[in-house]
Amino acid sequence: MDSIVVTGGNALSGQIPIAGAKNACLALMPATLLTEEPLTLMNAPRLSDIKTMTALLQSLGAEVQSLQEGRVIAMSSLGPISTTADYDIVRKMRASNLVLGPLLAREGHAIVSLPGGCAIGARPMDIHTTALEAMGAEIELRDGYLHATAPGGLKGAKIAFRFASVGATENIMMAATLAKGTTVIENAAREPEIVDLAACLAKMGAQIDGAGSSTITIQGVDRLGGATHAVVTDRIELGTYMLAPAICGGEVECIGGRLDLVQSFAEKLDAAGIAVEETAAGLKVARKNGRTSAIDVSTQPFPGFPTDLQAQMMALMCTADGVSHLEETIFENRFMHAPELLRMGADVEVHGGTATVTGVERLKGAPVMATDLRASVSLILAGLAAEGDTVVNRVYHLDRGYEHVEEKLRAVGAKIERVPGA
Ligand code: UD1
């Protein structure tokens, strides 16, 4: 398995292009199942998670082509569609469950493997299934698979989520586009990826109001058509690269970055002593002066501080002046990076859902292990600030969500190499 070697100490300078959002693209791709006409996505990120979704859709009978070196994904679901999403693919990536709503809406039945837990927590699907049941589906768990049928077709319903789940909002929004009547989702997630999915579905002919607010109303239609849609900027990749100059000094312009995608994160950076400036091409980030200050962060659904940037923020806090508290409220087990950061000389204590980080002057390079996607990039960020070499092992997690991370960081002056595994 490949590893990445980072040699810390260089200040960074230059531009980093930000890709299309992995999480938006993973929700947009299953929308092909809602129409027999072509759906084309532009600005797609080149990631292994996208390949996994491609394989899943192809296993269901969709045609999926990767064009322009993966930047464009051309899909068509004209032919007969299989309705079983196999465990072998679903277990690799939880977002595979996003085919459930579209399959049920199109075919009236679907068999989708339950994803199981992952490194960051249990991740059940009750919010998805309760909502689909309210829309007339009958769902049974058999042999690890959700067997869903909608005998009389899906019907619009008023649904109040017990938690603003991103995936459930996407699944139900897609299912409701072809349901009979009106669906109202209350306590819907408000993430930019949901706004992006709604925009694409609207181009396909769906009638959706309120995406981006807590109440989304979907008026079912008889059929959807094709569309061409450009995937929104990846706010998590953006936030990650905004942290690079914050951690090692220098100035980096994140091309394609938008402040509205990372408002609460940028406010925290400002409080920590990092300046974020809007430019014609994106966002420019640099330390205001001297050492970063410790700040407290609590992860929240959008527009709050994203859980997907918590690990990277911890890397910054490791060398900040003072004591910071990072509270994780979305996932129960998302501090797996903490023990790895300890190996680099950080002072982190985890009690329940809160990590207390006492800033040290300097981190020291060490061999570390990546446990999940965001944890792995946080170790790379920490390595950029550390004295000596940091070897991040098990980087396959990284390739799920960051395209060409070494090239992007090298282009702004970082010392970082990929070492192919045996
Ligand atoms: C999405 C993102 C992920 C991000 C997360 C939270 C994608 C592909 N992934 O994941 O990167 O970290 O949002 O911003 O977009 N839950 C339940 N029951 C359910 C569904 C969720 O209890 O039926 C819980 C989960 O276990 C978790 C919390 O709700 O604790 C948030 O999950 P959710 O918003 O659904 O995240 P995902 O859509 O899986």
Side-chain angles (χ1 to χ4, degrees):
M1 213 174 283
D2 293 0
S3 50
I4 287 192
V5 182
V6 188
T7 310
N10 283 12
L12 307 180
S13 158
Q15 297 181 325
I16 298 183
I18 306 301
K22 167 180 88 76
N23 287 350
C25 200
L26 289 175
L28 288 160
M29 290 175 74
T32 182
L33 300 170
L34 295 167
T35 175
E36 296 190 339
E37 291 178 23
L39 175 61
T40 303
L41 300 177
M42 322 288 283
N43 194 36
R46 292 170 286 191
L47 302 168
S48 65
D49 269 7
I50 301 300
K51 288 190 183 147
T52 305
M53 183 57 85
T54 299
L56 173 59
L57 293 171
Q58 286 171 336
S59 79
L60 297 173
E63 272 179 41
V64 185
Q65 270 183 296
S66 170
L67 307 172
Q68 296 182 23
E69 296 176 337
R71 280 274 164 261
V72 174
I73 302 173
M75 299 176 289
S76 163
S77 305
L78 181 60
I81 291 295
S82 144
T83 50
T84 302
D86 211 70
Y87 177 62
D88 276 345
I89 297 185
V90 178
R91 73 183 164 82
K92 284 191 199 157
M93 185 181 72
R94 182 183 159 83
S96 306
N97 66 27
L98 292 171
V99 299
L100 176 61
L103 284 177
L104 203 49
R106 176 183 175 130
E107 302 289 331
H109 56 94
I111 303 175
V112 175
S113 170
L114 258 190
C118 68
I120 61 175
R123 309 189 81 170
M125 279 194 67
D126 59 300
I127 303 173
H128 304 239
T129 52
T130 308
L132 289 169
E133 280 164 355
M135 296 173 74
E138 289 169 11
I139 303 182
E140 238 190 333
L141 179 65
R142 255 185 279 148
D143 308 326
Y145 283 78
L146 292 172
H147 291 248
T149 51
L154 288 173
K155 298 179 192 68
K158 194 164 180 171
I159 296 156
F161 284 162
R162 67 169 173 81
F163 176 82
S165 156
V166 175
T169 304
E170 292 165 345
N171 238 334
I172 301 311
M173 207 161 73
M174 287 193 274
T177 56
L178 293 177
K180 285 189 200 79
T182 305
T183 300
V184 179
I185 309 175
E186 282 170 2
N187 196 23
R190 292 181 277 167
E191 271 66 2
E193 294 74 28
I194 284 159
V195 176
D196 202 40
L197 175 62
C200 178
L201 292 170
K203 285 181 198 161
M204 294 166 69
Q207 295 194 7
I208 304 181
D209 274 325
S213 78
S214 306
T215 305
I216 303 179
T217 306
I218 306 115
Q219 182 73 51
V221 295
D222 288 339
R223 61 175 294 282
L224 294 179
T228 297
H229 181 78
V231 179
V232 68
T233 299
D234 195 317
R235 65 198 166 92
I236 306 301
E237 191 197 27
L238 170 62
T240 301
Y241 288 124
M242 287 168 77
L243 280 167
I247 283 184
C248 4
E251 185 178 86
V252 167
E253 187 178 19
C254 296
I255 305 300
R258 277 168 35 197
L259 203 50
D260 62 311
L261 295 175
V262 285
Q263 189 73 47
S264 63
F265 171 73
E267 282 165 16
K268 288 292 177 188
L269 285 187
D270 183 64
I274 312 297
V276 179
E277 185 198 332
E278 288 185 276
T279 63
L283 296 177
K284 198 179 268 185
V285 184
R287 277 192 205 158
K288 287 180 198 164
N289 46 40
R291 195 169 163 194
T292 307
S293 315
I295 48 155
D296 292 342
V297 164
S298 172
T299 63
Q300 298 293 334
F302 193 86
F305 190 97
T307 173
D308 286 350
L309 285 172
Q310 177 260 110
Q312 300 90 312
M313 191 56 140
M314 187 183 290
L316 176 67
M317 287 300 107
C318 283
T319 52
D321 189 10
V323 179
S324 58
H325 301 96
L326 305 176
E327 188 194 12
E328 175 56 60
T329 72
I330 310 290
F331 293 107
E332 74 249 33
N333 186 23
R334 210 175 193 182
F335 289 125
M336 304 284 278
H337 41 288
E340 303 300 313
L341 290 167
L342 285 186
R343 306 192 70 248
M344 300 177 69
D347 182 348
V348 185
E349 275 182 44
V350 176
H351 290 290
T354 301
T356 304
V357 185
T358 306
V360 296
E361 285 279 344
R362 204 74 216 264
L363 293 175
K364 295 200 173 61
V368 287
M369 191 74 86
T371 47
D372 69 66
L373 168 57
R374 308 304 171 185
S376 34
V377 85
S378 78
L379 297 172
I380 288 182
L381 288 175
L384 290 174
E387 225 170 81
D389 286 357
T390 297
V391 182
V392 184
N393 294 301
R394 267 185 157 191
V395 294
Y396 69 92
H397 289 292
L398 194 70
D399 298 329
R400 290 187 44 207
Y402 290 90
E403 60 170 52
H404 307 305
V405 69
E406 317 91 274
E407 281 91 332
K408 287 190 184 188
L409 285 171
R410 246 195 326 261
V412 293
K415 271 192 168 173
I416 173 168
E417 295 293 336
R418 180 178 289 248
V419 181

